[in-house]
Amino acid sequence: MDAAYRRVNADHGPEEADTGRRRRGSMYLEEETSKKSEVISCIFSLKEGVGALAKGLRLFEEKGINLTHIESRPSRMNNDQFEFFINVDASCSQALDEVIDSLRTQISGHVHELTRNKQKDTVPWFPNDIQDLDRFANQILSYGSELDSDHPGFTDAVYRTRRKEFADIAYNYRHGQVIPRVEYTAEEKATWGTVFKELKTLYPTHACREHNRVFPLLEQYCGYRQDNIPQLEDVSRFLQSCTGFRLRPVAGLLSSRDFLAGLAFRVFHSTQYIRHASKPTYTPEPDICHELLGHVPLFADSSFAQFSQEIGLASLAAPDEFIEKLATVYWFTVEFGLCKQGSEVKAYGAGLLSSFGELQYCLSDQPKILPFDPDKTSLQKYPITEYQPVYFVAESFEDAKERVRKFAATIPRPFTVRYNAYTQSIEVLDNRQQLRNLADSINSEMDKLCEALKKLDEV
């Protein structure tokens, strides 16, 4: 659930205040990103053991050195060691020399100084493998049971308690576990049924063909019915069999950087709770109706799944200003996108496909319709408490995917990344061996393609 997406199918709702802070990809701390300063960066490694890190950090404390950034990872060279990346204010340069000597002599640490003239956060941290999503899945901007004062369920103690139950499920979840099943109440099922019934009448005429192709399969295999709320685990398994996408429960709103990073691994962070029963056609935040009716059908389509993943991959190690642009591209595509199909325009954005009112409005003559161009789309301002005045229409998912790829090539980062589906990890293409491995993989796939084409010609 993306923090940028505060209003799903609502006509009115609270706008989140801009605090001027953006959470970094690190699991350890929150940093100001608007101010750039000279910093010293280095990596040191320590043998794993009780109190090892505390002993190392005490050396910095004794010299009065303030660490402005720290994060860790298992050492890639020694299985019994951990590596720690730190940033230190440049004013501590002289004292740092003494600490480095102490690390090497007193606790047998290995130290590699990266630079003493480096801009802070040149390359933001990003997850390297799918298990790394555990590091930030609970670094949420708001907890699931904390509701704004104008939320329909704000004064409902029973609803707030129920929301905490859902949040706790997500908070305790780790990658690889089975998503816990939820026994939804009769009231929750009735709310789902109202939304399900209204939207299903519009899908044949307003939704894109990919959504309409998958929806009956969800009814057949995942329990999509007016009287039943599907379970995330069942839906996740279905998606994995179709495109490799999977769902992961989330307790609240993630930052745009963290949410997009999940897409790079074909992981969608999904809520499990449902909107308040007093207003079944309104929600000030994404809920399970939005996730399962809006997002899930398209994630089962191979072209759309790859398009979504391209946005996620583009976000990895991107500077903050480009994260904002990518989040805007995501808003006008995955959430509120339109596409051409034959002579007609259809909706494929989840915010549209989960909103009975806006699904009709977006295809009327009221809003302004513009061609999808990431360079321009990424700069478009948008409201979050009302229907969109502007929508962007893609020629096709394939065309949108190629445009996003070209846009991603303009993002300033010192390397290129690709997703390895076999290891479920991100490969950083920054050396010749990585490029040779990629070339070998491409050659193998090309051989299969040529062989298949040859056999088709023989028929």
Side-chain angles (χ1 to χ4, degrees):
M1 180 169 56
D2 181 10
Y5 192 57
R6 292 286 294 169
R7 198 266 320 148
V8 182
N9 49 9
D11 295 327
H12 305 284
E15 184 169 353
E16 185 176 15
D18 182 8
T19 63
R21 297 178 67 87
R22 296 180 186 174
R23 204 186 68 74
R24 306 299 303 128
S26 171
M27 68 181 289
Y28 287 107
L29 80 168
E30 198 173 74
E31 293 183 310
E32 294 282 356
T33 59
S34 60
K35 298 179 181 178
K36 297 291 183 181
S37 61
E38 294 293 321
V39 296
I40 302 170
S41 301
C42 66
I43 292 176
F44 66 92
S45 58
L46 301 173
K47 285 188 176 182
E48 186 175 6
V50 177
L53 178 58
K55 186 182 297 183
L57 295 180
R58 195 173 300 120
L59 296 175
F60 292 91
E61 183 180 1
E62 290 173 351
K63 296 298 181 181
I65 295 177
N66 180 38
L67 302 184
T68 61
H69 184 92
I70 180 172
E71 56 188 81
S72 69
R73 69 183 181 192
S75 174
R76 298 177 181 178
M77 302 183 67
N78 296 291
N79 292 333
D80 63 342
Q81 293 186 354
F82 270 77
E83 295 176 346
F84 300 89
F85 173 85
I86 62 170
N87 280 344
V88 177
D89 287 337
S91 60
C92 303
S93 178
Q94 185 173 353
L96 181 63
D97 290 334
E98 299 178 28
V99 172
I100 289 176
D101 289 339
S102 298
L103 282 171
R104 288 170 174 159
T105 58
Q106 296 182 28
I107 58 178
S108 300
H110 298 282
V111 184
H112 176 59
E113 188 174 331
L114 300 177
T115 178
R116 294 213 177 197
N117 184 26
K118 179 185 175 184
Q119 288 294 321
K120 189 176 180 180
D121 297 324
T122 300
V123 180
W125 179 90
F126 61 90
N128 291 116
D129 57 58
I130 198 167
Q131 286 84 4
D132 284 345
L133 299 184
D134 288 341
R135 292 182 59 176
F136 60 73
N138 292 324
Q139 300 293 324
I140 53 178
L141 304 181
S142 68
Y143 198 65
S145 59
E146 299 300 322
L147 307 180
D148 292 325
S149 59
D150 53 357
H151 190 286
F154 181 73
T155 60
D156 187 337
V158 174
Y159 181 75
R160 292 172 70 98
T161 299
R162 182 65 165 158
R163 285 288 295 266
K164 187 178 185 304
E165 292 175 8
F166 287 112
D168 288 344
I169 289 174
Y171 187 79
N172 291 303
Y173 178 82
R174 296 295 180 269
H175 171 74
Q177 296 177 347
V178 174
I179 302 174
R181 305 183 77 83
V182 173
E183 288 295 329
Y184 288 98
T185 66
E187 183 179 65
E188 289 168 338
K189 291 179 181 178
T191 301
W192 162 274
T194 299
V195 179
F196 184 92
K197 179 180 178 180
E198 290 188 347
L199 286 171
K200 192 175 178 182
T201 62
L202 286 181
Y203 287 156
T205 54
H206 290 66
C208 63
R209 70 171 68 98
E210 290 81 2
H211 185 280
N212 288 330
R213 177 181 62 83
V214 172
F215 202 82
L217 298 177
L218 293 168
E219 292 180 304
Q220 182 177 356
Y221 297 109
C222 298
Y224 273 54
R225 300 193 309 272
Q226 185 175 334
D227 62 349
N228 178 67
I229 303 177
Q231 297 292 329
L232 290 193
E233 178 65 23
D234 296 338
V235 177
S236 185
R237 289 181 180 275
F238 173 82
L239 289 178
Q240 289 178 58
S241 70
C242 294
T243 61
F245 248 93
R246 68 184 69 206
L247 302 181
R248 177 183 178 125
V250 68
L253 296 170
L254 291 172
S255 70
S256 293
R257 181 183 291 279
D258 290 346
F259 179 81
L260 295 177
L263 295 180
F265 294 85
R266 298 205 172 199
V267 172
F268 180 75
H269 290 82
S270 172
T271 56
Q272 262 182 312
Y273 58 78
I274 195 165
R275 62 197 62 182
H276 195 262
S278 64
K279 294 186 177 180
T281 60
Y282 164 81
T283 176
E285 64 204 334
D287 71 336
I288 199 166
C289 296
H290 170 70
E291 320 288 36
L292 298 189
L293 298 176
H295 281 293
V296 163
L298 271 299
F299 284 136
D301 177 79
S302 58
S303 292
F304 183 83
Q306 191 169 7
F307 167 69
S308 300
Q309 187 178 29
E310 290 291 338
I311 297 178
L313 288 169
S315 75
L316 301 181
D320 288 333
E321 59 269 24
F322 277 86
I323 290 295
E324 183 177 350
K325 290 181 178 181
L326 285 169
T328 302
V329 169
Y330 175 90
W331 176 275
F332 283 112
T333 54
V334 180
E335 292 292 357
F336 291 97
L338 302 176
C339 62
K340 292 182 180 179
Q341 296 194 328
S343 60
E344 298 180 300
V345 174
K346 300 291 185 179
Y348 73 88
L352 303 175
L353 294 169
S354 59
S355 167
F356 186 81
E358 192 160 5
L359 185 54
Q360 297 175 84
Y361 163 82
C362 72
L363 297 180
S364 69
D365 57 1
Q366 298 181 58
K368 185 177 182 180
I369 307 297
L370 298 175
F372 175 63
D373 177 355
D375 289 323
K376 297 179 180 178
T377 302
S378 64
L379 302 176
Q380 178 67 45
K381 302 298 181 182
Y382 54 85
I384 61 174
T385 58
E386 59 189 41
Y387 292 164
Q388 301 300 302
V390 177
Y391 297 97
F392 291 87
V393 58
E395 294 294 324
S396 66
F397 292 151
E398 289 297 324
D399 180 70
K401 181 171 59 182
E402 289 305 312
R403 289 178 180 271
V404 168
R405 280 178 178 168
K406 291 179 181 179
F407 178 72
T410 67
I411 297 176
R413 54 185 178 182
F415 47 74
T416 299
V417 299
R418 70 184 291 264
Y419 178 66
N420 187 323
Y422 298 107
T423 61
Q424 295 183 315
S425 64
I426 300 298
E427 294 181 352
V428 177
L429 305 178
D430 61 353
N431 61 69
R432 294 184 182 277
Q433 185 58 50
Q434 288 282 5
L435 298 181
R436 281 193 290 267
N437 293 342
L438 177 58
D440 289 343
S441 176
I442 294 174
N443 286 336
S444 177
E445 294 300 316
M446 289 299 296
D447 289 342
K448 293 177 184 177
L449 176 61
C450 292
E451 180 183 354
L453 289 172
K454 183 178 179 181
K455 291 183 177 181
L456 285 177
D457 291 339
E458 293 173 353
V459 175

